[in-house]
Amino acid sequence: MTAIDLSLRPNSKLPLLTSIYPLIDTHTHFDAPVFDEDRGLQARQAYEHGVRHLVLVGYLARHFDRLYTIQQAFAQPLQSTMINSTTSITDASVHTDLYPQTHIALGLHPFYIEQHTDTHLEQLAQLLDEQQPLAIGEIGLDTFTNIMKQPEMLAKQQRFFNAQLDMAVRHQLPVMLHIRKAHAEALALLKAHAYNAHKLGGIAHSFSGGEQEAKAFVKLGFKLGVTGQVTNPNAKKLRRAIQAAVEMYGIECLVIETDCPDMTPIMCQTSAGSQSALGQSVDNEWQGAAGHNRNVPSNLPWVLHTLSELLNVAPADLARQLWQNSCDALQVTWAYPEPSVTIE
């Protein structure tokens, strides 16, 4: 491994990150169209910056095939830096770069509940029988908008959440939770369900709650997914919640993720504002994606190093523990590669 180059230091006033540690990006939307022009390049840079595994996370049934197309493209000898859901790579010039291993989670995102149908649940159930993905997600509850707060909308979200938790129990798979402005409701539903995160694993993805919610999810057995939001010094509520959970349960309760192309670390932003491109419009889930600060998997080390400073834990020790935490949450046994550190 080599030192992180200036592509991870868009602001020249920031200190250069010189040590690379093996990392798992537990939640991405790396299949999104905003990566079609340079997905191969971004995957190669992610590997160079320590990312050894990344998870492609589903949210709409119509995009499930796209997840597998991207995974298959990376599974074969890669022959192009332009890897997308429609372009054949068989005629491109061969190169020998290394890429993170890609894995798939399948789920029906609560924000798009108006678009989900029972047929989509049936489609998901069939794919779980045939494909056996790594996890089920992202699933949960979302009352971010007034429409989502309507009783009929929330009831449908709860029904789909329960149905997908049932599938997780049936297939003995971990879940990736999307909970936004609905932590109390989600916790109540999880406590009443047979899903046992202590046994099956699971991640409270892009955790955004307070101290009590953080400790409650960890008590149920979930790891807290930490994104680039933690790099913002103004994210005081999130930082306090992480510290409170760690104080009670140790750093074993955390995993990290980019949630790319969203949640760009503050030091990697190139324009003002960091509004998510996903989950703002139910009609076009990537509305405005071209104009927002696109996050990429190679930005994951910034989350590691910010957590290291916040928790006063050496980056090397934290990286090794986060790897184990991710394996525990995803119910896998990926061996930790010994890091090779180069300082320029």
Side-chain angles (χ1 to χ4, degrees), residues 5-17 266-270 302:
D5 61 24
L6 290 177
S7 67
L8 264 180
R9 192 177 58 159
N11 183 340
S12 61
K13 296 181 181 180
L14 291 171
L16 180 66
L17 297 180
I266 194 168
M267 63 282 292
C268 303
Q269 295 177 16
T270 57
W302 289 111

Side-chain angles (χ1 to χ4, degrees), residues 64 104 128 147 167 199 209:
F64 287 168
I104 289 176
L128 293 175
I147 293 177
M167 295 180 195
K199 177 182 177 182

Side-chain angles (χ1 to χ4, degrees), residues 31-342:
D31 62 302
V34 292
F35 294 112
D36 280 354
E37 295 301 316
D38 64 347
R39 186 175 286 106
L41 172 64
Q42 292 300 334
R44 184 170 70 250
Q45 289 182 346
Y47 189 91
E48 290 171 352
H49 297 149
V51 180
R52 294 294 174 264
H53 297 268
L54 63 81
V55 184
L56 305 172
V57 181
Y59 54 98
L60 282 167
R62 67 173 180 264
H63 296 324
F64 287 168
D65 287 345
R66 189 174 74 192
L67 297 171
Y68 285 99
T69 298
I70 298 303
Q71 184 190 46
Q72 290 166 6
F74 280 115
Q76 58 185 302
L78 290 179
Q79 301 168 326
S80 172
T81 57
M82 186 179 295
I83 299 173
N84 57 50
S85 58
T86 59
T87 302
S88 171
I89 63 175
T90 56
D91 296 328
S93 58
V94 175
H95 60 72
T96 58
D97 297 315
L98 296 175
Y99 300 83
Q101 293 186 47
T102 59
H103 312 272
I104 289 176
L106 295 176
L108 300 172
H109 194 300
F111 187 75
Y112 305 105
I113 194 64
E114 289 181 283
Q115 300 182 43
H116 303 325
T117 67
D118 287 341
T119 299
H120 295 147
L121 281 175
E122 294 169 4
Q123 180 182 349
L124 175 58
Q126 182 176 354
L127 280 172
L128 293 175
D129 288 334
E130 297 172 351
Q131 300 287 353
Q132 189 69 6
L134 180 67
I136 294 178
E138 54 191 286
I139 66 175
L141 300 177
D142 190 322
T143 61
F144 181 67
T145 68
N146 288 332
I147 293 177
M148 295 297 107
K149 295 175 184 176
Q150 297 302 312
E152 65 274 15
M153 286 294 183
L154 183 57
K156 185 178 178 183
Q157 286 191 41
Q158 291 170 328
R159 182 167 68 85
F160 272 65
F161 190 11
N162 267 309
Q164 292 176 95
L165 287 172
D166 290 343
M167 295 180 195
V169 172
R170 183 159 58 252
H171 291 274
Q172 295 292 282
L173 290 174
V175 297
M176 295 183 172
L177 301 178
H178 170 99
I179 311 297
R180 184 163 59 162
K181 303 291 185 180
H183 291 90
E185 295 86 349
L187 285 165
L189 189 151
L190 287 165
K191 290 175 182 177
H193 199 276
Y195 183 89
N196 184 350
H198 289 287
K199 177 182 177 182
L200 298 179
I203 297 171
H205 142 70
S206 188
F207 180 77
S208 60
E211 296 179 32
Q212 297 308 313
E213 291 91 348
K215 290 186 282 189
F217 278 105
V218 177
K219 184 177 180 179
L220 286 179
F222 293 94
K223 308 296 185 187
L224 303 179
V226 182
T227 70
Q229 286 181 307
V230 76
T231 66
N232 187 340
N234 293 323
K236 294 181 172 61
K237 174 186 172 183
L238 173 63
R239 289 178 166 219
R240 286 195 300 266
I242 292 170
Q243 289 172 318
V246 169
E247 182 178 352
M248 177 167 287
Y249 294 102
I251 58 174
E252 291 80 6
C253 70
L254 304 177
V255 299
I256 58 175
E257 58 179 88
T258 58
D259 197 20
C260 68
D262 295 326
M263 303 301 176
T264 307
I266 194 168
M267 63 282 292
C268 303
Q269 295 177 16
T270 57
S271 61
S274 58
Q275 186 179 30
S276 168
L278 179 66
Q280 299 299 324
S281 168
V282 296
D283 298 316
N284 177 2
E285 70 269 18
W286 294 108
Q287 183 179 17
H292 92 309
N293 288 293
R294 187 185 67 159
N295 197 8
V296 295
S298 60
N299 288 338
L300 191 61
W302 289 111
V303 181
L304 168 72
H305 284 271
T306 299
L307 271 181
S308 171
E309 294 178 0
L310 179 67
L311 302 175
N312 194 27
V313 178
D317 296 335
L318 183 58
R320 184 180 290 272
Q321 186 60 57
L322 288 170
W323 182 285
Q324 184 58 54
N325 298 349
S326 300
C327 290
D328 292 343
L330 298 172
Q331 297 293 287
V332 294
T333 56
W334 299 330
Y336 183 75
E338 289 302 322
S340 174
V341 178
T342 301

